[in-house]
Tab-separated table of all heavy atoms in Angstrom:
chain	number	residue	atom	x	y	z
W	15	TYR	N	-48.950	26.233	145.376
W	15	TYR	CA	-48.445	27.512	145.863
W	15	TYR	C	-47.461	27.348	147.020
W	15	TYR	O	-46.699	28.265	147.318
W	15	TYR	CB	-49.608	28.407	146.291
W	15	TYR	CG	-50.618	28.636	145.209
W	15	TYR	CD1	-51.800	27.895	145.162
W	15	TYR	CD2	-50.378	29.567	144.198
W	15	TYR	CE1	-52.727	28.090	144.139
W	15	TYR	CE2	-51.298	29.765	143.178
W	15	TYR	CZ	-52.466	29.022	143.156
W	15	TYR	OH	-53.372	29.218	142.139
W	16	LEU	N	-47.483	26.177	147.658
W	16	LEU	CA	-46.588	25.918	148.773
W	16	LEU	C	-45.447	24.970	148.422
W	16	LEU	O	-44.557	24.738	149.234
W	16	LEU	CB	-47.375	25.338	149.960
W	16	LEU	CG	-48.426	26.262	150.585
W	16	LEU	CD1	-49.232	25.516	151.638
W	16	LEU	CD2	-47.771	27.493	151.190
W	17	THR	N	-45.499	24.425	147.218
W	17	THR	CA	-44.484	23.435	146.830
W	17	THR	C	-43.627	23.858	145.646
W	17	THR	O	-42.666	23.158	145.317
W	17	THR	CB	-45.150	22.088	146.500
W	17	THR	OG1	-46.119	22.275	145.457
W	17	THR	CG2	-45.831	21.499	147.726
W	18	TYR	N	-43.944	24.971	145.002
W	18	TYR	CA	-43.181	25.346	143.810
W	18	TYR	C	-41.759	25.783	144.153
W	18	TYR	O	-40.852	25.663	143.320
W	18	TYR	CB	-43.904	26.441	143.018
W	18	TYR	CG	-43.768	27.845	143.566
W	18	TYR	CD1	-42.792	28.722	143.078
W	18	TYR	CD2	-44.620	28.306	144.559
W	18	TYR	CE1	-42.667	30.008	143.567
W	18	TYR	CE2	-44.505	29.585	145.056
W	18	TYR	CZ	-43.533	30.431	144.565
W	18	TYR	OH	-43.407	31.707	145.070
W	19	LEU	N	-41.537	26.296	145.373
W	19	LEU	CA	-40.190	26.618	145.827
W	19	LEU	C	-39.660	25.434	146.631
W	19	LEU	O	-40.272	25.035	147.614
W	19	LEU	CB	-40.188	27.876	146.699
W	19	LEU	CG	-40.390	29.208	145.979
W	19	LEU	CD1	-40.477	30.344	146.998
W	19	LEU	CD2	-39.268	29.488	144.999
W	20	PRO	N	-38.539	24.856	146.232
W	20	PRO	CA	-38.013	23.681	146.920
W	20	PRO	C	-37.848	23.900	148.424
W	20	PRO	O	-37.272	24.897	148.854
W	20	PRO	CB	-36.651	23.448	146.235
W	20	PRO	CG	-36.800	24.062	144.887
W	20	PRO	CD	-37.696	25.252	145.094
W	21	ARG	N	-38.410	22.998	149.198
W	21	ARG	CA	-38.283	22.926	150.652
W	21	ARG	C	-38.962	24.063	151.397
W	21	ARG	O	-38.831	24.159	152.621
W	21	ARG	CB	-36.809	22.840	151.073
W	21	ARG	CG	-36.050	21.695	150.429
W	21	ARG	CD	-36.689	20.333	150.703
W	21	ARG	NE	-36.600	19.927	152.082
W	21	ARG	CZ	-35.618	19.183	152.572
W	21	ARG	NH1	-34.636	18.782	151.787
W	21	ARG	NH2	-35.609	18.839	153.844
W	22	LEU	N	-39.682	24.931	150.701
W	22	LEU	CA	-40.381	26.017	151.402
W	22	LEU	C	-41.384	25.458	152.392
W	22	LEU	O	-41.483	25.929	153.529
W	22	LEU	CB	-41.085	26.941	150.406
W	22	LEU	CG	-41.962	28.043	151.023
W	22	LEU	CD1	-41.119	28.997	151.851
W	22	LEU	CD2	-42.720	28.804	149.939
W	23	VAL	N	-42.118	24.453	151.983
W	23	VAL	CA	-43.150	23.907	152.857
W	23	VAL	C	-42.536	23.280	154.105
W	23	VAL	O	-43.113	23.343	155.200
W	23	VAL	CB	-44.026	22.886	152.096
W	23	VAL	CG1	-43.259	21.605	151.790
W	23	VAL	CG2	-45.293	22.587	152.887
W	24	ASP	N	-41.346	22.686	153.978
W	24	ASP	CA	-40.672	22.123	155.151
W	24	ASP	C	-40.308	23.221	156.141
W	24	ASP	O	-40.424	23.053	157.358
W	24	ASP	CB	-39.406	21.372	154.738
W	24	ASP	CG	-39.709	20.137	153.902
W	24	ASP	OD1	-40.835	19.628	153.999
W	24	ASP	OD2	-38.828	19.704	153.153
W	25	LEU	N	-39.853	24.352	155.602
W	25	LEU	CA	-39.480	25.475	156.456
W	25	LEU	C	-40.699	26.046	157.160
W	25	LEU	O	-40.680	26.330	158.360
W	25	LEU	CB	-38.795	26.553	155.612
W	25	LEU	CG	-38.305	27.803	156.341
W	25	LEU	CD1	-37.187	27.440	157.309
W	25	LEU	CD2	-37.815	28.837	155.340
W	26	LEU	N	-41.798	26.214	156.418
W	26	LEU	CA	-43.008	26.795	156.992
W	26	LEU	C	-43.634	25.874	158.028
W	26	LEU	O	-44.241	26.330	158.997
W	26	LEU	CB	-44.030	27.079	155.885
W	26	LEU	CG	-43.607	28.066	154.792
W	26	LEU	CD1	-44.732	28.236	153.787
W	26	LEU	CD2	-43.210	29.401	155.389
W	27	GLY	N	-43.497	24.568	157.834
W	27	GLY	CA	-44.137	23.622	158.725
W	27	GLY	C	-43.284	23.191	159.895
W	27	GLY	O	-43.693	22.333	160.674
W	28	ARG	N	-42.084	23.773	160.033
W	28	ARG	CA	-41.184	23.368	161.112
W	28	ARG	C	-41.632	23.995	162.426
W	28	ARG	O	-41.386	25.160	162.696
W	28	ARG	CB	-39.750	23.767	160.786
W	28	ARG	CG	-38.743	23.317	161.833
W	28	ARG	CD	-37.337	23.650	161.395
W	28	ARG	NE	-36.953	22.880	160.225
W	28	ARG	CZ	-35.910	23.168	159.452
W	28	ARG	NH1	-35.168	24.229	159.720
W	28	ARG	NH2	-35.621	22.417	158.418
W	29	LEU	N	-42.303	23.211	163.230
W	29	LEU	CA	-42.752	23.655	164.541
W	29	LEU	C	-41.863	23.021	165.595
W	29	LEU	O	-41.143	22.074	165.334
W	29	LEU	CB	-44.210	23.261	164.766
W	29	LEU	CG	-45.205	23.731	163.694
W	29	LEU	CD1	-46.573	23.169	163.978
W	29	LEU	CD2	-45.237	25.250	163.627
W	30	GLY	N	-41.940	23.524	166.804
W	30	GLY	CA	-41.139	22.902	167.843
W	30	GLY	C	-40.852	23.829	168.996
W	30	GLY	O	-41.292	24.977	169.032
W	31	PRO	N	-40.091	23.345	169.985
W	31	PRO	CA	-39.800	24.127	171.190
W	31	PRO	C	-38.783	25.220	170.943
W	31	PRO	O	-38.004	25.157	169.984
W	31	PRO	CB	-39.239	23.071	172.158
W	31	PRO	CG	-38.609	22.055	171.268
W	31	PRO	CD	-39.482	21.999	170.045
W	32	TYR	N	-38.798	26.217	171.796
W	32	TYR	CA	-37.776	27.255	171.758
W	32	TYR	C	-37.508	27.742	173.171
W	32	TYR	O	-38.366	27.657	174.049
W	32	TYR	CB	-38.171	28.418	170.852
W	32	TYR	CG	-39.367	29.218	171.303
W	32	TYR	CD1	-39.215	30.390	172.037
W	32	TYR	CD2	-40.658	28.814	170.970
W	32	TYR	CE1	-40.314	31.133	172.444
W	32	TYR	CE2	-41.762	29.541	171.378
W	32	TYR	CZ	-41.584	30.705	172.100
W	32	TYR	OH	-42.679	31.434	172.503
W	33	VAL	N	-36.295	28.224	173.389
W	33	VAL	CA	-35.871	28.733	174.696
W	33	VAL	C	-35.809	30.249	174.595
W	33	VAL	O	-34.991	30.796	173.838
W	33	VAL	CB	-34.502	28.162	175.107
W	33	VAL	CG1	-34.110	28.657	176.490
W	33	VAL	CG2	-34.521	26.638	175.055
W	34	LYS	N	-36.675	30.937	175.338
W	34	LYS	CA	-36.767	32.391	175.213
W	34	LYS	C	-35.429	33.077	175.455
W	34	LYS	O	-35.067	34.027	174.753
W	34	LYS	CB	-37.820	32.947	176.175
W	34	LYS	CG	-39.249	32.698	175.750
W	34	LYS	CD	-40.220	33.387	176.697
W	34	LYS	CE	-41.658	33.198	176.243
W	34	LYS	NZ	-42.611	33.872	177.160
W	35	ASP	N	-34.684	32.613	176.439
W	35	ASP	CA	-33.400	33.236	176.759
W	35	ASP	C	-32.422	33.110	175.597
W	35	ASP	O	-31.673	34.033	175.302
W	35	ASP	CB	-32.801	32.599	178.017
W	35	ASP	CG	-31.478	33.243	178.404
W	35	ASP	OD1	-31.457	34.459	178.654
W	35	ASP	OD2	-30.453	32.527	178.442
W	36	TRP	N	-32.432	31.983	174.921
W	36	TRP	CA	-31.567	31.802	173.752
W	36	TRP	C	-31.921	32.805	172.660
W	36	TRP	O	-31.041	33.399	172.041
W	36	TRP	CB	-31.724	30.395	173.189
W	36	TRP	CG	-31.150	29.303	174.009
W	36	TRP	CD1	-30.663	29.380	175.290
W	36	TRP	CD2	-31.016	27.937	173.615
W	36	TRP	NE1	-30.238	28.152	175.710
W	36	TRP	CE2	-30.446	27.250	174.707
W	36	TRP	CE3	-31.328	27.237	172.457
W	36	TRP	CZ2	-30.179	25.879	174.657
W	36	TRP	CZ3	-31.073	25.873	172.398
W	36	TRP	CH2	-30.495	25.208	173.490
W	37	VAL	N	-33.212	32.946	172.424
W	37	VAL	CA	-33.661	33.829	171.350
W	37	VAL	C	-33.299	35.278	171.656
W	37	VAL	O	-32.872	36.027	170.775
W	37	VAL	CB	-35.179	33.681	171.125
W	37	VAL	CG1	-35.629	34.565	169.957
W	37	VAL	CG2	-35.529	32.231	170.839
W	38	ARG	N	-33.424	35.662	172.917
W	38	ARG	CA	-33.045	37.028	173.290
W	38	ARG	C	-31.535	37.221	173.180
W	38	ARG	O	-31.077	38.285	172.748
W	38	ARG	CB	-33.541	37.350	174.700
W	38	ARG	CG	-35.051	37.511	174.761
W	38	ARG	CD	-35.489	38.342	175.957
W	38	ARG	NE	-36.898	38.664	175.861
W	38	ARG	CZ	-37.382	39.724	175.229
W	38	ARG	NH1	-36.554	40.570	174.634
W	38	ARG	NH2	-38.674	39.951	175.174
W	39	GLN	N	-30.759	36.223	173.560
W	39	GLN	CA	-29.308	36.304	173.364
W	39	GLN	C	-28.984	36.511	171.888
W	39	GLN	O	-28.128	37.326	171.533
W	39	GLN	CB	-28.627	35.016	173.847
W	39	GLN	CG	-28.497	34.868	175.337
W	39	GLN	CD	-27.714	33.612	175.690
W	39	GLN	OE1	-26.575	33.433	175.235
W	39	GLN	NE2	-28.303	32.735	176.490
W	40	PHE	N	-29.669	35.767	171.059
W	40	PHE	CA	-29.430	35.850	169.618
W	40	PHE	C	-29.725	37.249	169.089
W	40	PHE	O	-28.878	37.872	168.443
W	40	PHE	CB	-30.298	34.817	168.901
W	40	PHE	CG	-30.240	34.883	167.401
W	40	PHE	CD1	-29.218	34.268	166.704
W	40	PHE	CD2	-31.216	35.562	166.681
W	40	PHE	CE1	-29.156	34.333	165.319
W	40	PHE	CE2	-31.171	35.629	165.300
W	40	PHE	CZ	-30.137	35.009	164.615
W	41	TYR	N	-30.910	37.760	169.412
W	41	TYR	CA	-31.307	39.054	168.847
W	41	TYR	C	-30.545	40.227	169.456
W	41	TYR	O	-30.260	41.203	168.761
W	41	TYR	CB	-32.817	39.253	168.998
W	41	TYR	CG	-33.608	38.604	167.893
W	41	TYR	CD1	-34.377	37.467	168.128
W	41	TYR	CD2	-33.575	39.106	166.595
W	41	TYR	CE1	-35.098	36.860	167.111
W	41	TYR	CE2	-34.291	38.511	165.576
W	41	TYR	CZ	-35.045	37.390	165.832
W	41	TYR	OH	-35.750	36.789	164.824
W	42	THR	N	-30.225	40.168	170.734
W	42	THR	CA	-29.507	41.293	171.345
W	42	THR	C	-28.063	41.386	170.849
W	42	THR	O	-27.442	42.440	170.937
W	42	THR	CB	-29.498	41.181	172.881
W	42	THR	OG1	-28.977	39.909	173.273
W	42	THR	CG2	-30.901	41.363	173.442
W	43	SER	N	-27.532	40.292	170.324
W	43	SER	CA	-26.157	40.309	169.803
W	43	SER	C	-26.105	40.304	168.278
W	43	SER	O	-25.025	40.425	167.693
W	43	SER	CB	-25.384	39.085	170.319
W	43	SER	OG	-25.952	37.881	169.836
W	44	LEU	N	-27.249	40.194	167.635
W	44	LEU	CA	-27.286	40.017	166.186
W	44	LEU	C	-26.822	41.267	165.437
W	44	LEU	O	-27.207	42.385	165.762
W	44	LEU	CB	-28.713	39.664	165.750
W	44	LEU	CG	-28.941	39.450	164.249
W	44	LEU	CD1	-28.142	38.249	163.743
W	44	LEU	CD2	-30.433	39.264	163.974
W	45	TRP	N	-25.988	41.040	164.440
W	45	TRP	CA	-25.600	42.095	163.495
W	45	TRP	C	-25.710	41.516	162.098
W	45	TRP	O	-25.230	40.410	161.814
W	45	TRP	CB	-24.167	42.561	163.746
W	45	TRP	CG	-23.783	43.730	162.873
W	45	TRP	CD1	-24.079	45.043	163.061
W	45	TRP	CD2	-23.031	43.675	161.646
W	45	TRP	NE1	-23.570	45.817	162.051
W	45	TRP	CE2	-22.914	45.000	161.170
W	45	TRP	CE3	-22.445	42.639	160.915
W	45	TRP	CZ2	-22.246	45.316	159.981
W	45	TRP	CZ3	-21.780	42.948	159.734
W	45	TRP	CH2	-21.685	44.276	159.283
W	46	VAL	N	-26.384	42.258	161.234
W	46	VAL	CA	-26.603	41.821	159.856
W	46	VAL	C	-25.729	42.654	158.938
W	46	VAL	O	-25.770	43.892	158.981
W	46	VAL	CB	-28.085	41.972	159.453
W	46	VAL	CG1	-28.288	41.537	158.003
W	46	VAL	CG2	-28.977	41.172	160.390
W	47	SER	N	-24.919	42.016	158.120
W	47	SER	CA	-24.082	42.774	157.192
W	47	SER	C	-24.979	43.541	156.232
W	47	SER	O	-26.044	43.048	155.836
W	47	SER	CB	-23.149	41.838	156.415
W	47	SER	OG	-23.879	40.988	155.557
W	48	PRO	N	-24.597	44.759	155.858
W	48	PRO	CA	-25.467	45.592	155.013
W	48	PRO	C	-25.883	44.932	153.704
W	48	PRO	O	-26.977	45.190	153.206
W	48	PRO	CB	-24.602	46.836	154.753
W	48	PRO	CG	-23.694	46.913	155.935
W	48	PRO	CD	-23.389	45.489	156.295
W	49	ASP	N	-25.030	44.073	153.162
W	49	ASP	CA	-25.370	43.390	151.916
W	49	ASP	C	-26.047	42.044	152.155
W	49	ASP	O	-26.315	41.303	151.205
W	49	ASP	CB	-24.123	43.179	151.057
W	49	ASP	CG	-23.039	42.388	151.780
W	49	ASP	OD1	-23.265	41.975	152.935
W	49	ASP	OD2	-21.955	42.208	151.192
W	50	HIS	N	-26.335	41.739	153.418
W	50	HIS	CA	-26.996	40.491	153.810
W	50	HIS	C	-26.164	39.258	153.444
W	50	HIS	O	-26.710	38.166	153.300
W	50	HIS	CB	-28.394	40.384	153.189
W	50	HIS	CG	-29.384	41.336	153.782
W	50	HIS	ND1	-30.734	41.288	153.501
W	50	HIS	CD2	-29.223	42.388	154.645
W	50	HIS	CE1	-31.360	42.261	154.161
W	50	HIS	NE2	-30.456	42.927	154.856
W	51	ARG	N	-24.865	39.441	153.323
W	51	ARG	CA	-23.990	38.314	152.979
W	51	ARG	C	-23.814	37.377	154.156
W	51	ARG	O	-23.605	36.182	153.972
W	51	ARG	CB	-22.635	38.841	152.495
W	51	ARG	CG	-21.754	37.792	151.839
W	51	ARG	CD	-20.581	38.444	151.135
W	51	ARG	NE	-19.717	39.169	152.050
W	51	ARG	CZ	-18.661	38.615	152.665
W	51	ARG	NH1	-18.349	37.350	152.448
W	51	ARG	NH2	-17.902	39.332	153.481
W	52	PHE	N	-23.905	37.903	155.384
W	52	PHE	CA	-23.797	37.064	156.572
W	52	PHE	C	-24.460	37.749	157.752
W	52	PHE	O	-24.746	38.958	157.723
W	52	PHE	CB	-22.326	36.755	156.907
W	52	PHE	CG	-21.519	37.961	157.311
W	52	PHE	CD1	-21.480	38.392	158.636
W	52	PHE	CD2	-20.797	38.678	156.367
W	52	PHE	CE1	-20.733	39.509	159.011
W	52	PHE	CE2	-20.050	39.792	156.722
W	52	PHE	CZ	-20.019	40.205	158.047
Side-chain angles (χ1 to χ4, degrees):
Y15 304 99
L16 296 174
T17 57
Y18 79 96
L19 287 175
R21 305 303 292 267
L22 174 63
V23 70
D24 294 337
L25 181 66
L26 299 180
R28 183 176 294 164
L29 305 175
Y32 65 96
V33 182
K34 285 185 177 180
D35 181 59
W36 289 10
V37 182
R38 289 203 170 272
Q39 284 184 56
F40 175 83
Y41 276 109
T42 54
S43 64
L44 180 64
W45 185 81
V46 179
S47 66
D49 58 2
H50 289 189
R51 192 168 62 91
F52 66 87

